[in-house]
Amino acid sequence: MHRLEYPFTPTTEHVDELHGSKIPDPYRWLEDPNSPQTRAWIEAQNALACRFLQQIPARERLRERLTELWNYPKATPPFKRGGRYFSFRNSGLQNHNVLYVQESLDAEPRVLLDPNALSSDGTVALNSVAVSRDGNYLAYALAESGSDWLTWRVREVATGQDLPDELRWSKFSLAAWLPDGSGFFYSRYDEPKEGESYTGANYFQKVYLHRVGTPQSEDVLVYGRPDQQEWGFWPQVTHDGRYLVLRVWKGTHQENLIFYRDLQAEGPFIELIPQFEADFTFIGNVGTVFYFKTDLDAPRGRIIAIDTENPAREHWKTIVPEGEDLLEQALFTYDRVAAVYLHHAHHRVRFFGRDGTAQGALELPTLGSLFGLSGEPGDPELFFGFTSFLFPLRVYRHDLSVGQTTLLFDPPLTFDPEGYETRQVFVRSKDGTRVPMFLVHRKGLEPSGQNPTLLYGYGGFNVPLVPNFDPARLAWFEAGGIYAQANLRGGGEYGKEWYRAGTLHQKQNVFDDFIACAEWLIENRWTSPSKLAIQGASNGGLLVGAVMTQRPELFGAALPAVGVMDMLRFHKFTIGWAWVSDYGSPDDPEMFETLLRYSPLHNLKPGTAYPATLITTADHDDRVVPAHSFKFAAALQAAQGGEAPVLIRIQTKAGHGLGKPTRIVIEEKADIYAFLFRVLGLEEV
């Protein structure tokens, strides 16, 4: 493989002084995504990546095969409002899932909202929906070009017609309907300054009440905190319509507050949980008794009840105590609580009475993950989806009154999963911690030391990686590739202690866990460094960037997507300030030293032979701004001492990933896997 000729990337003499250290930032100019110089650089880099990828024989065959694999009908579990059933469906290759409504489960579904009709190129996506309790109105939020900014609209369910309502400058928001359907609560920010929509910091979120049929200018401010710029609010109205509950969040901290207001009394908000000391997730209420899932004094989670008329902590009751597995979700349904647990990163479901008495379990098909659990108090219908690495989402209905489960939807595939298997292994990390890892591959595959292997990880923000289905991986399996998914510290697999062990000054544990998984794969002859690729997105992009700079000889390829690469400036853009809960702040002298030690951008060493790298990002990413990837790509191309290619693929009119059209997803996946086929020596599908 010959060394590529990279586009010329000018450098400047820009230097920052931080805590007595001089930090050069020669590519600072790439932080302006709209400057003519940056736009020219993007075009040149995309042209280089395109030329390289077009020369790969497998690329077109992969695109065709991925299109075939993606082209199967899809459906999500229904949720019920006012006797109507709502669910998302996709005929196969539609850019976005379509929202359908049924008057009964036996009735013919009709289209309620088709996002594919909202733009010719699929870059307008449906981000969030909320149906009024009576099932008559739909509030829905649209996002353009992958941005986090939302525009809320209102549609009549019976007619499918939109009302004139249009609510702008919402972000990180839910919609919570009043019990009579006359309006809903939502959260928004002030309109940003001109030119700062995609880069300016987001502070001072506020909660508003919007009345159906009125202009946004008449929305009523319900709650805001001018003394707390970092606080955000998720509104929720209790099932009985009596209370408005606010989950008060601060960045990505796992701890939150709980405030509530009696909607009948119209009194002030009561600060039920007034301190950031634990996670409190509201489950439901029975009169004045509120139920929460919490990790207070229970790192793996428990369910408690608080009587708001007697809220002193000594009167709190534990309904479901902490167990061996992580309590991930709890739902009020019928006459009981459905509790979803993570057992070594795959799901189990148990039922409890409102008094905590055990009432059995929900039998799941195999080792896999639950999706879209929905049910209502007083209603025996419970819906859920179930998926795994080798089969797509299947939809089930469980009748709680008789304990019977029925398969509602089983999508057909042009792939036979019977020829493949999933296993789970446990790896010892550098400090002896036991780290789970899933392996998926063709049955009977023998470890030869030469098996092309893709190792995926995330390791942050209390997010667990569970078995999930990705049609693109099927082509990888068909070609003899192995997929490995590591469950690293910093994630949400085992509760608060596991999460905290991968944050702040302990962030290196995440990288050590990932490196240990790579070394295990090599030592056990599943693969070798030249055949091993690593992949991660967002915080996982940081993971890939940090690990490839710490151990470049360990990998044959690296795929960092929309990664956080500049750990000294991440907090200066959009919602980046919120991530100090995991990373710490560069403005703190002690955290600065820790961040500098692993920041991917600042740990590239000129003349080092780095693995073949394909960086992916998007020009409208206002979550992790693309400057992270731009600067890392420029610095990596300059530092590369070997012949392995360093490419960056910049998707235009796209964002962090949510709502990306199917067409663009397939093209991007085909390019990523074609790159792997080339650099790892897999030339045939």
Side-chain angles (χ1 to χ4, degrees):
M1 193 174 292
H2 300 292
R3 181 179 173 85
L4 294 176
E5 290 293 328
Y6 297 110
F8 174 66
T9 306
T11 58
T12 68
E13 298 300 319
H14 189 101
V15 176
D16 290 323
E17 185 164 335
L18 298 172
H19 312 295
S21 298
K22 293 187 181 300
I23 308 295
D25 195 357
Y27 303 110
R28 176 68 63 86
W29 59 273
L30 282 168
E31 289 184 359
D32 182 356
N34 298 314
S35 74
Q37 193 177 23
T38 301
R39 301 309 301 181
W41 183 87
I42 290 172
E43 290 180 12
Q45 292 288 348
N46 272 342
L48 173 65
C50 187
R51 286 195 302 272
F52 183 92
L53 294 166
Q54 282 178 339
Q55 295 171 6
I56 301 173
R59 185 195 191 200
E60 184 58 27
R61 296 196 302 276
L62 271 167
R63 189 190 63 78
E64 292 173 357
R65 181 59 179 140
L66 293 189
T67 301
E68 292 173 354
L69 290 167
W70 231 283
N71 193 11
Y72 66 91
K74 306 165 185 71
T76 63
F79 60 92
K80 195 174 179 181
R81 295 289 184 274
R84 291 181 165 123
Y85 298 84
F86 300 82
S87 64
F88 288 93
R89 300 178 182 226
N90 192 306
S91 61
L93 294 175
Q94 290 174 286
N95 278 325
H96 301 289
N97 294 341
V98 179
L99 180 61
Y100 284 81
V101 61
Q102 297 167 264
E103 300 301 326
S104 70
L105 285 180
D106 298 327
E108 185 69 22
R110 64 177 171 88
V111 174
L112 178 57
L113 178 60
D114 182 1
N116 301 289
L118 300 177
S119 61
S120 59
D121 58 1
T123 55
V124 174
L126 183 60
N127 176 280
S128 183
V129 299
V131 179
S132 60
R133 181 67 56 197
D134 57 14
N136 290 334
Y137 287 115
L138 166 73
Y140 64 96
L142 300 178
E144 295 187 20
S145 301
S147 171
D148 281 333
W149 287 116
L150 305 176
T151 299
W152 288 93
R153 304 295 304 267
V154 178
R155 178 164 292 194
E156 290 180 330
V157 173
T159 66
Q161 297 298 308
D162 278 341
L163 300 178
D165 309 56
E166 183 178 87
L167 316 179
R168 302 188 66 207
W169 304 118
S170 178
K171 186 184 278 195
F172 316 125
S173 174
L174 307 174
W177 283 93
L178 289 168
D180 62 0
S182 63
F184 58 87
F185 301 96
Y186 73 105
S187 305
R188 59 159 292 186
Y189 292 94
D190 292 334
E191 182 175 349
K193 295 179 182 177
E194 186 175 354
E196 295 185 4
S197 299
Y198 293 105
T199 57
N202 304 134
Y203 290 120
F204 298 111
Q205 194 185 57
K206 304 177 182 70
V207 180
Y208 286 86
L209 172 61
H210 173 73
R211 295 285 182 178
V212 172
T214 64
Q216 187 174 18
S217 58
E218 295 181 9
D219 289 355
V220 177
L221 176 63
V222 173
Y223 196 79
R225 288 295 292 265
D227 60 327
Q228 298 290 345
Q229 68 174 11
E230 296 181 351
W231 284 15
F233 311 95
W234 288 341
Q236 183 176 356
V237 174
T238 56
H239 186 266
D240 62 7
R242 179 71 183 269
Y243 301 99
L244 170 63
V245 179
L246 294 184
R247 179 186 176 96
V248 184
W249 51 271
K250 183 180 179 181
T252 51
H253 288 272
Q254 302 305 305
E255 298 79 20
N256 65 281
L257 313 179
I258 296 290
F259 301 164
Y260 75 93
R261 169 190 279 178
D262 187 333
L263 291 174
Q264 294 181 3
E266 287 294 333
F269 277 94
I270 306 298
E271 298 187 1
L272 183 63
I273 308 293
Q275 296 178 325
F276 288 101
E277 58 178 327
D279 170 75
F280 289 86
T281 300
F282 179 75
I283 302 171
N285 70 303
V286 177
T288 61
V289 179
F290 286 15
Y291 290 76
F292 295 92
K293 177 183 77 71
T294 183
D295 57 14
L296 180 69
D297 301 325
R300 291 182 300 279
R302 61 180 173 137
I303 297 175
I304 65 170
I306 303 175
D307 189 338
T308 58
E309 292 187 340
N310 197 11
R313 187 163 298 195
E314 60 267 24
H315 300 302
W316 294 5
K317 294 181 180 179
T318 295
I319 303 301
V320 178
E322 181 183 31
E324 291 297 316
D325 293 330
L326 173 71
L327 176 61
E328 187 180 56
Q329 179 187 0
L331 176 74
F332 262 23
T333 181
Y334 195 36
D335 58 353
R336 65 198 72 174
V337 178
V340 181
Y341 289 92
L342 266 183
H343 175 76
H344 296 313
H346 54 91
H347 282 133
R348 293 178 171 179
V349 182
R350 299 172 62 196
F351 296 118
F352 298 93
R354 304 282 165 83
D355 60 356
T357 56
Q359 295 190 4
L362 179 64
E363 186 175 342
L364 299 177
T366 183
L367 181 151
S369 53
L370 205 71
F371 174 86
L373 184 70
S374 71
E376 295 281 316
D379 190 330
E381 288 189 306
L382 182 70
F383 298 97
F384 66 95
F386 192 78
T387 187
S388 192
F389 292 113
L390 292 171
F391 61 83
L393 192 72
R394 296 168 177 167
V395 177
Y396 296 85
R397 174 186 182 272
H398 182 77
D399 187 335
L400 287 161
S401 65
V402 295
Q404 182 178 356
T405 300
T406 305
L407 178 63
L408 294 182
F409 180 78
D410 186 9
L413 275 184
T414 60
F415 172 85
D416 183 8
E418 293 303 317
Y420 302 84
E421 62 181 316
T422 300
R423 68 178 71 192
Q424 189 176 42
V425 299
F426 293 86
V427 175
R428 290 291 177 185
S429 191
K430 183 177 181 179
D431 62 359
T433 298
R434 196 167 175 252
V435 177
M437 180 168 63
F438 292 106
L439 297 180
V440 191
H441 53 79
R442 185 178 292 155
K443 282 183 180 176
L445 186 72
E446 293 295 329
S448 66
Q450 295 300 308
N451 306 109
T453 301
L454 178 58
L455 173 61
Y456 186 89
Y458 185 78
F461 297 96
N462 203 34
V463 175
L465 288 188
V466 296
N468 69 308
F469 183 76
D470 180 352
R473 290 195 210 114
L474 304 184
W476 179 250
F477 298 147
E478 289 176 338
I482 297 170
Y483 175 74
Q485 183 166 293
N487 296 109
L488 314 171
R489 280 176 285 184
E493 288 83 2
Y494 291 109
K496 184 182 288 188
E497 293 170 348
W498 182 262
Y499 158 65
R500 286 182 172 170
T503 64
L504 304 175
H505 293 296
Q506 299 186 92
K507 186 67 176 177
Q508 183 61 40
N509 286 336
V510 184
F511 313 138
D512 290 341
D513 290 355
F514 203 54
I515 290 168
C517 289
E519 291 176 333
W520 184 95
L521 289 165
I522 294 166
E523 290 165 3
N524 287 272
R525 293 186 54 76
W526 287 103
T527 193
S528 60
S530 65
K531 298 290 185 181
L532 177 59
I534 50 174
Q535 184 181 36
S538 196
N539 174 74
L542 161 63
L543 168 69
V544 171
V547 166
M548 67 178 282
T549 54
Q550 293 181 14
R551 294 291 302 277
E553 82 290 350
L554 198 57
F555 313 106
L559 302 168
V562 293
V564 187
M565 300 303 198
D566 184 345
M567 299 309 297
L568 303 186
R569 288 179 60 76
F570 71 87
H571 61 318
K572 294 184 178 294
F573 303 98
T574 61
I575 199 64
W577 59 265
W579 310 334
V580 298
S581 59
D582 261 52
Y583 302 147
S585 173
D587 297 334
D588 177 340
E590 291 187 7
M591 282 311 312
F592 163 76
E593 295 293 339
T594 296
L595 291 164
L596 185 61
R597 277 195 293 272
Y598 71 77
S599 177
L601 179 65
H602 300 93
N603 283 279
L604 291 166
K605 297 178 176 59
T608 301
Y610 288 103
T613 304
L614 177 60
I615 301 161
T616 52
T617 187
D619 64 350
H620 280 65
D621 189 344
D622 53 1
R623 183 84 57 86
V624 179
V625 294
H628 284 279
S629 294
F630 293 173
K631 292 163 70 173
F632 184 70
L636 181 57
Q637 288 176 348
Q640 177 65 294
E643 294 187 348
V646 175
L647 302 173
I648 180 168
R649 185 188 188 280
I650 304 151
Q651 185 68 50
T652 57
K653 294 191 72 176
H656 198 60
L658 189 67
K660 193 177 290 185
T662 297
R663 169 185 56 82
I664 291 178
V665 172
I666 291 175
E667 290 173 357
E668 184 176 82
K669 298 265 189 180
D671 283 352
I672 289 171
Y673 280 95
F675 181 82
L676 286 185
F677 275 44
R678 174 69 182 276
V679 300
L680 299 186
L682 259 176
E683 290 298 341
E684 296 297 327
V685 180

